Amino acid sequence: PEAAVLDHGCGEALSADRVAGACARLYLCDGAPLVRSRLAARFASEPKIEVLAPEDLGALEDHSLDLVVVNSLLQYLSPE
Protein backbone atom coordinates (compact mmCIF):
# COMPACT_ATOMS: atom_id res chain seq x y z
CA PRO A 1 0.00 0.00 0.00
CA GLU A 2 2.99 2.37 0.34
CA ALA A 3 4.37 1.55 -3.10
CA ALA A 4 5.08 4.03 -5.86
CA VAL A 5 4.26 2.36 -9.19
CA LEU A 6 5.05 3.40 -12.77
CA ASP A 7 3.06 1.98 -15.67
CA HIS A 8 5.36 2.83 -18.58
CA GLY A 9 3.60 2.71 -21.93
CA CYS A 10 0.28 2.48 -20.13
CA GLY A 11 -2.04 3.09 -23.08
CA GLU A 12 -5.63 3.57 -21.95
CA ALA A 13 -4.79 2.20 -18.46
CA LEU A 14 -8.18 0.55 -18.08
CA SER A 15 -7.44 -0.77 -14.59
CA ALA A 16 -5.56 2.25 -13.27
CA ASP A 17 -8.20 3.05 -10.67
CA ARG A 18 -7.88 -0.47 -9.24
CA VAL A 19 -4.08 -0.30 -9.23
CA ALA A 20 -4.16 3.14 -7.58
CA GLY A 21 -6.39 1.69 -4.88
CA ALA A 22 -3.61 -0.76 -3.97
CA CYS A 23 -0.65 1.64 -3.91
CA ALA A 24 0.32 5.06 -2.58
CA ARG A 25 1.17 6.64 -5.96
CA LEU A 26 0.59 5.57 -9.55
CA TYR A 27 2.42 7.21 -12.43
CA LEU A 28 0.94 6.62 -15.87
CA CYS A 29 3.39 7.25 -18.72
CA ASP A 30 2.57 7.13 -22.40
CA GLY A 31 4.28 8.55 -25.47
CA ALA A 32 1.06 9.60 -27.22
CA PRO A 33 -0.08 13.14 -26.30
CA LEU A 34 -3.73 12.35 -27.02
CA VAL A 35 -3.64 9.32 -24.73
CA ARG A 36 -2.03 11.40 -21.96
CA SER A 37 -4.63 14.11 -22.40
CA ARG A 38 -7.47 11.61 -22.05
CA LEU A 39 -5.85 9.99 -19.02
CA ALA A 40 -5.27 13.35 -17.35
CA ALA A 41 -8.93 14.27 -17.84
CA ARG A 42 -10.17 10.88 -16.67
CA PHE A 43 -8.08 10.88 -13.50
CA ALA A 44 -8.10 14.62 -12.74
CA SER A 45 -9.90 14.04 -9.43
CA GLU A 46 -7.68 11.10 -8.39
CA PRO A 47 -4.79 12.51 -6.29
CA LYS A 48 -2.88 9.21 -6.31
CA ILE A 49 -2.55 9.16 -10.11
CA GLU A 50 -0.17 11.34 -12.10
CA VAL A 51 0.10 11.27 -15.89
CA LEU A 52 3.58 11.74 -17.35
CA ALA A 53 5.21 12.02 -20.74
CA PRO A 54 8.32 9.87 -21.28
CA GLU A 55 10.50 12.98 -21.11
CA ASP A 56 9.11 13.70 -17.61
CA LEU A 57 10.50 10.47 -16.15
CA GLY A 58 13.92 12.01 -15.60
CA ALA A 59 12.39 14.34 -13.00
CA LEU A 60 11.45 11.43 -10.74
CA GLU A 61 13.86 11.00 -7.86
CA ASP A 62 16.32 8.12 -8.08
CA HIS A 63 15.11 5.02 -6.25
CA SER A 64 11.63 6.51 -5.79
CA LEU A 65 9.77 3.73 -7.60
CA ASP A 66 8.93 0.37 -6.08
CA LEU A 67 7.55 -1.24 -9.24
CA VAL A 68 7.72 -0.51 -12.96
CA VAL A 69 5.19 -2.22 -15.21
CA VAL A 70 5.95 -2.36 -18.95
CA ASN A 71 3.30 -4.78 -20.25
CA SER A 72 2.07 -2.56 -23.07
CA LEU A 73 5.53 -1.27 -23.94
CA LEU A 74 7.25 -4.60 -24.55
CA GLN A 75 5.27 -5.31 -27.70
CA TYR A 76 7.07 -2.43 -29.43
CA LEU A 77 10.59 -3.66 -28.68
CA SER A 78 12.56 -5.91 -30.98
CA PRO A 79 14.11 -9.11 -29.57
CA GLU A 80 17.54 -7.57 -30.01
PDB file of all heavy atoms in Angstrom, residues 14-36:
ATOM      1  N   LEU A  14      -6.806   0.871 -18.441  1.00  0.00           N
ATOM      2  CA  LEU A  14      -8.183   0.555 -18.083  1.00  0.00           C
ATOM      3  C   LEU A  14      -8.375   0.133 -16.629  1.00  0.00           C
ATOM      4  O   LEU A  14      -9.470   0.267 -16.090  1.00  0.00           O
ATOM      5  CB  LEU A  14      -8.726  -0.527 -19.025  1.00  0.00           C
ATOM      6  CG  LEU A  14      -8.766  -0.125 -20.500  1.00  0.00           C
ATOM      7  CD1 LEU A  14      -9.239  -1.290 -21.352  1.00  0.00           C
ATOM      8  CD2 LEU A  14      -9.629   1.098 -20.701  1.00  0.00           C
ATOM      9  N   SER A  15      -7.332  -0.355 -15.992  1.00  0.00           N
ATOM     10  CA  SER A  15      -7.440  -0.774 -14.591  1.00  0.00           C
ATOM     11  C   SER A  15      -6.689   0.153 -13.643  1.00  0.00           C
ATOM     12  O   SER A  15      -6.412  -0.221 -12.501  1.00  0.00           O
ATOM     13  CB  SER A  15      -6.922  -2.207 -14.436  1.00  0.00           C
ATOM     14  OG  SER A  15      -7.717  -3.101 -15.174  1.00  0.00           O
ATOM     15  N   ALA A  16      -6.358   1.337 -14.092  1.00  0.00           N
ATOM     16  CA  ALA A  16      -5.559   2.252 -13.275  1.00  0.00           C
ATOM     17  C   ALA A  16      -6.225   2.584 -11.945  1.00  0.00           C
ATOM     18  O   ALA A  16      -5.537   2.699 -10.922  1.00  0.00           O
ATOM     19  CB  ALA A  16      -5.255   3.528 -14.045  1.00  0.00           C
ATOM     20  N   ASP A  17      -7.528   2.736 -11.933  1.00  0.00           N
ATOM     21  CA  ASP A  17      -8.198   3.046 -10.674  1.00  0.00           C
ATOM     22  C   ASP A  17      -8.037   1.913  -9.670  1.00  0.00           C
ATOM     23  O   ASP A  17      -7.822   2.157  -8.481  1.00  0.00           O
ATOM     24  CB  ASP A  17      -9.666   3.378 -10.905  1.00  0.00           C
ATOM     25  CG  ASP A  17     -10.418   2.311 -11.672  1.00  0.00           C
ATOM     26  OD1 ASP A  17      -9.785   1.469 -12.352  1.00  0.00           O
ATOM     27  OD2 ASP A  17     -11.662   2.321 -11.598  1.00  0.00           O
ATOM     28  N   ARG A  18      -8.076   0.675 -10.131  1.00  0.00           N
ATOM     29  CA  ARG A  18      -7.878  -0.473  -9.241  1.00  0.00           C
ATOM     30  C   ARG A  18      -6.437  -0.533  -8.745  1.00  0.00           C
ATOM     31  O   ARG A  18      -6.189  -0.815  -7.572  1.00  0.00           O
ATOM     32  CB  ARG A  18      -8.258  -1.766  -9.953  1.00  0.00           C
ATOM     33  CG  ARG A  18      -9.761  -1.857 -10.168  1.00  0.00           C
ATOM     34  CD  ARG A  18     -10.198  -3.077 -10.930  1.00  0.00           C
ATOM     35  NE  ARG A  18      -9.535  -4.295 -10.493  1.00  0.00           N
ATOM     36  CZ  ARG A  18      -9.422  -5.365 -11.258  1.00  0.00           C
ATOM     37  NH1 ARG A  18      -9.931  -5.379 -12.474  1.00  0.00           N
ATOM     38  NH2 ARG A  18      -8.825  -6.442 -10.813  1.00  0.00           N
ATOM     39  N   VAL A  19      -5.496  -0.285  -9.628  1.00  0.00           N
ATOM     40  CA  VAL A  19      -4.083  -0.297  -9.231  1.00  0.00           C
ATOM     41  C   VAL A  19      -3.827   0.819  -8.222  1.00  0.00           C
ATOM     42  O   VAL A  19      -3.168   0.616  -7.197  1.00  0.00           O
ATOM     43  CB  VAL A  19      -3.155  -0.158 -10.453  1.00  0.00           C
ATOM     44  CG1 VAL A  19      -1.698  -0.038 -10.023  1.00  0.00           C
ATOM     45  CG2 VAL A  19      -3.343  -1.340 -11.402  1.00  0.00           C
ATOM     46  N   ALA A  20      -4.347   2.004  -8.489  1.00  0.00           N
ATOM     47  CA  ALA A  20      -4.157   3.138  -7.577  1.00  0.00           C
ATOM     48  C   ALA A  20      -4.747   2.849  -6.204  1.00  0.00           C
ATOM     49  O   ALA A  20      -4.230   3.328  -5.188  1.00  0.00           O
ATOM     50  CB  ALA A  20      -4.782   4.402  -8.168  1.00  0.00           C
ATOM     51  N   GLY A  21      -5.795   2.050  -6.157  1.00  0.00           N
ATOM     52  CA  GLY A  21      -6.389   1.686  -4.880  1.00  0.00           C
ATOM     53  C   GLY A  21      -5.511   0.792  -4.045  1.00  0.00           C
ATOM     54  O   GLY A  21      -5.704   0.679  -2.830  1.00  0.00           O
ATOM     55  N   ALA A  22      -4.494   0.174  -4.674  1.00  0.00           N
ATOM     56  CA  ALA A  22      -3.613  -0.755  -3.969  1.00  0.00           C
ATOM     57  C   ALA A  22      -2.213  -0.202  -3.730  1.00  0.00           C
ATOM     58  O   ALA A  22      -1.341  -0.900  -3.226  1.00  0.00           O
ATOM     59  CB  ALA A  22      -3.512  -2.061  -4.757  1.00  0.00           C
ATOM     60  N   CYS A  23      -1.980   1.056  -4.104  1.00  0.00           N
ATOM     61  CA  CYS A  23      -0.647   1.642  -3.910  1.00  0.00           C
ATOM     62  C   CYS A  23      -0.788   3.091  -3.445  1.00  0.00           C
ATOM     63  O   CYS A  23      -1.883   3.650  -3.435  1.00  0.00           O
ATOM     64  CB  CYS A  23       0.176   1.553  -5.190  1.00  0.00           C
ATOM     65  SG  CYS A  23      -0.414   2.522  -6.583  1.00  0.00           S
ATOM     66  N   ALA A  24       0.336   3.677  -3.061  1.00  0.00           N
ATOM     67  CA  ALA A  24       0.322   5.064  -2.585  1.00  0.00           C
ATOM     68  C   ALA A  24       0.324   6.068  -3.726  1.00  0.00           C
ATOM     69  O   ALA A  24      -0.267   7.143  -3.636  1.00  0.00           O
ATOM     70  CB  ALA A  24       1.517   5.305  -1.674  1.00  0.00           C
ATOM     71  N   ARG A  25       1.012   5.716  -4.831  1.00  0.00           N
ATOM     72  CA  ARG A  25       1.165   6.642  -5.961  1.00  0.00           C
ATOM     73  C   ARG A  25       1.262   5.832  -7.230  1.00  0.00           C
ATOM     74  O   ARG A  25       1.995   4.845  -7.290  1.00  0.00           O
ATOM     75  CB  ARG A  25       2.435   7.467  -5.764  1.00  0.00           C
ATOM     76  CG  ARG A  25       2.628   8.562  -6.752  1.00  0.00           C
ATOM     77  CD  ARG A  25       1.736   9.701  -6.375  1.00  0.00           C
ATOM     78  NE  ARG A  25       2.053  10.860  -7.173  1.00  0.00           N
ATOM     79  CZ  ARG A  25       1.196  11.816  -7.373  1.00  0.00           C
ATOM     80  NH1 ARG A  25       0.020  11.768  -6.834  1.00  0.00           N
ATOM     81  NH2 ARG A  25       1.517  12.844  -8.092  1.00  0.00           N
ATOM     82  N   LEU A  26       0.538   6.239  -8.254  1.00  0.00           N
ATOM     83  CA  LEU A  26       0.593   5.571  -9.553  1.00  0.00           C
ATOM     84  C   LEU A  26       0.926   6.604 -10.611  1.00  0.00           C
ATOM     85  O   LEU A  26       0.213   7.592 -10.785  1.00  0.00           O
ATOM     86  CB  LEU A  26      -0.747   4.900  -9.879  1.00  0.00           C
ATOM     87  CG  LEU A  26      -0.860   4.256 -11.263  1.00  0.00           C
ATOM     88  CD1 LEU A  26       0.189   3.163 -11.459  1.00  0.00           C
ATOM     89  CD2 LEU A  26      -2.265   3.718 -11.483  1.00  0.00           C
ATOM     90  N   TYR A  27       2.020   6.364 -11.304  1.00  0.00           N
ATOM     91  CA  TYR A  27       2.416   7.208 -12.426  1.00  0.00           C
ATOM     92  C   TYR A  27       2.041   6.480 -13.704  1.00  0.00           C
ATOM     93  O   TYR A  27       2.400   5.312 -13.885  1.00  0.00           O
ATOM     94  CB  TYR A  27       3.931   7.453 -12.415  1.00  0.00           C
ATOM     95  CG  TYR A  27       4.415   8.184 -11.202  1.00  0.00           C
ATOM     96  CD1 TYR A  27       4.976   7.491 -10.122  1.00  0.00           C
ATOM     97  CD2 TYR A  27       4.342   9.569 -11.126  1.00  0.00           C
ATOM     98  CE1 TYR A  27       5.429   8.157  -9.005  1.00  0.00           C
ATOM     99  CE2 TYR A  27       4.792  10.249 -10.008  1.00  0.00           C
ATOM    100  CZ  TYR A  27       5.337   9.535  -8.957  1.00  0.00           C
ATOM    101  OH  TYR A  27       5.784  10.203  -7.846  1.00  0.00           O
ATOM    102  N   LEU A  28       1.309   7.154 -14.572  1.00  0.00           N
ATOM    103  CA  LEU A  28       0.944   6.616 -15.873  1.00  0.00           C
ATOM    104  C   LEU A  28       1.750   7.356 -16.930  1.00  0.00           C
ATOM    105  O   LEU A  28       1.668   8.580 -17.027  1.00  0.00           O
ATOM    106  CB  LEU A  28      -0.555   6.803 -16.139  1.00  0.00           C
ATOM    107  CG  LEU A  28      -1.498   6.133 -15.149  1.00  0.00           C
ATOM    108  CD1 LEU A  28      -2.950   6.505 -15.469  1.00  0.00           C
ATOM    109  CD2 LEU A  28      -1.317   4.624 -15.156  1.00  0.00           C
ATOM    110  N   CYS A  29       2.528   6.629 -17.707  1.00  0.00           N
ATOM    111  CA  CYS A  29       3.386   7.250 -18.717  1.00  0.00           C
ATOM    112  C   CYS A  29       3.051   6.674 -20.086  1.00  0.00           C
ATOM    113  O   CYS A  29       3.029   5.455 -20.264  1.00  0.00           O
ATOM    114  CB  CYS A  29       4.847   6.993 -18.373  1.00  0.00           C
ATOM    115  SG  CYS A  29       5.991   7.684 -19.576  1.00  0.00           S
ATOM    116  N   ASP A  30       2.821   7.562 -21.037  1.00  0.00           N
ATOM    117  CA  ASP A  30       2.568   7.127 -22.403  1.00  0.00           C
ATOM    118  C   ASP A  30       3.162   8.150 -23.362  1.00  0.00           C
ATOM    119  O   ASP A  30       3.172   9.349 -23.071  1.00  0.00           O
ATOM    120  CB  ASP A  30       1.072   6.965 -22.665  1.00  0.00           C
ATOM    121  CG  ASP A  30       0.821   6.095 -23.880  1.00  0.00           C
ATOM    122  OD1 ASP A  30       0.721   4.863 -23.693  1.00  0.00           O
ATOM    123  OD2 ASP A  30       0.765   6.632 -25.000  1.00  0.00           O
ATOM    124  N   GLY A  31       3.642   7.667 -24.493  1.00  0.00           N
ATOM    125  CA  GLY A  31       4.275   8.547 -25.470  1.00  0.00           C
ATOM    126  C   GLY A  31       3.306   9.332 -26.326  1.00  0.00           C
ATOM    127  O   GLY A  31       3.690  10.311 -26.961  1.00  0.00           O
ATOM    128  N   ALA A  32       2.043   8.937 -26.349  1.00  0.00           N
ATOM    129  CA  ALA A  32       1.058   9.602 -27.217  1.00  0.00           C
ATOM    130  C   ALA A  32       0.378  10.757 -26.479  1.00  0.00           C
ATOM    131  O   ALA A  32      -0.303  10.537 -25.475  1.00  0.00           O
ATOM    132  CB  ALA A  32       0.015   8.595 -27.675  1.00  0.00           C
ATOM    133  N   PRO A  33       0.538  11.979 -26.964  1.00  0.00           N
ATOM    134  CA  PRO A  33      -0.076  13.137 -26.301  1.00  0.00           C
ATOM    135  C   PRO A  33      -1.591  13.022 -26.136  1.00  0.00           C
ATOM    136  O   PRO A  33      -2.134  13.403 -25.096  1.00  0.00           O
ATOM    137  CB  PRO A  33       0.289  14.315 -27.213  1.00  0.00           C
ATOM    138  CG  PRO A  33       1.522  13.874 -27.920  1.00  0.00           C
ATOM    139  CD  PRO A  33       1.371  12.389 -28.105  1.00  0.00           C
ATOM    140  N   LEU A  34      -2.278  12.479 -27.128  1.00  0.00           N
ATOM    141  CA  LEU A  34      -3.733  12.349 -27.025  1.00  0.00           C
ATOM    142  C   LEU A  34      -4.121  11.371 -25.909  1.00  0.00           C
ATOM    143  O   LEU A  34      -5.053  11.624 -25.149  1.00  0.00           O
ATOM    144  CB  LEU A  34      -4.326  11.896 -28.362  1.00  0.00           C
ATOM    145  CG  LEU A  34      -5.849  11.755 -28.393  1.00  0.00           C
ATOM    146  CD1 LEU A  34      -6.531  13.080 -28.031  1.00  0.00           C
ATOM    147  CD2 LEU A  34      -6.305  11.280 -29.763  1.00  0.00           C
ATOM    148  N   VAL A  35      -3.386  10.289 -25.803  1.00  0.00           N
ATOM    149  CA  VAL A  35      -3.644   9.324 -24.726  1.00  0.00           C
ATOM    150  C   VAL A  35      -3.417   9.984 -23.374  1.00  0.00           C
ATOM    151  O   VAL A  35      -4.243   9.862 -22.460  1.00  0.00           O
ATOM    152  CB  VAL A  35      -2.756   8.070 -24.893  1.00  0.00           C
ATOM    153  CG1 VAL A  35      -2.851   7.166 -23.660  1.00  0.00           C
ATOM    154  CG2 VAL A  35      -3.140   7.298 -26.141  1.00  0.00           C
ATOM    155  N   ARG A  36      -2.313  10.710 -23.228  1.00  0.00           N
ATOM    156  CA  ARG A  36      -2.030  11.398 -21.957  1.00  0.00           C
ATOM    157  C   ARG A  36      -3.123  12.407 -21.618  1.00  0.00           C
ATOM    158  O   ARG A  36      -3.539  12.523 -20.468  1.00  0.00           O
ATOM    159  CB  ARG A  36      -0.666  12.088 -22.004  1.00  0.00           C
ATOM    160  CG  ARG A  36       0.495  11.135 -22.002  1.00  0.00           C
ATOM    161  CD  ARG A  36       1.811  11.838 -21.705  1.00  0.00           C
ATOM    162  NE  ARG A  36       2.064  13.014 -22.507  1.00  0.00           N
ATOM    163  CZ  ARG A  36       2.676  13.004 -23.688  1.00  0.00           C
ATOM    164  NH1 ARG A  36       3.086  11.866 -24.222  1.00  0.00           N
ATOM    165  NH2 ARG A  36       2.899  14.129 -24.344  1.00  0.00           N
TER     166      ARG A  36
END
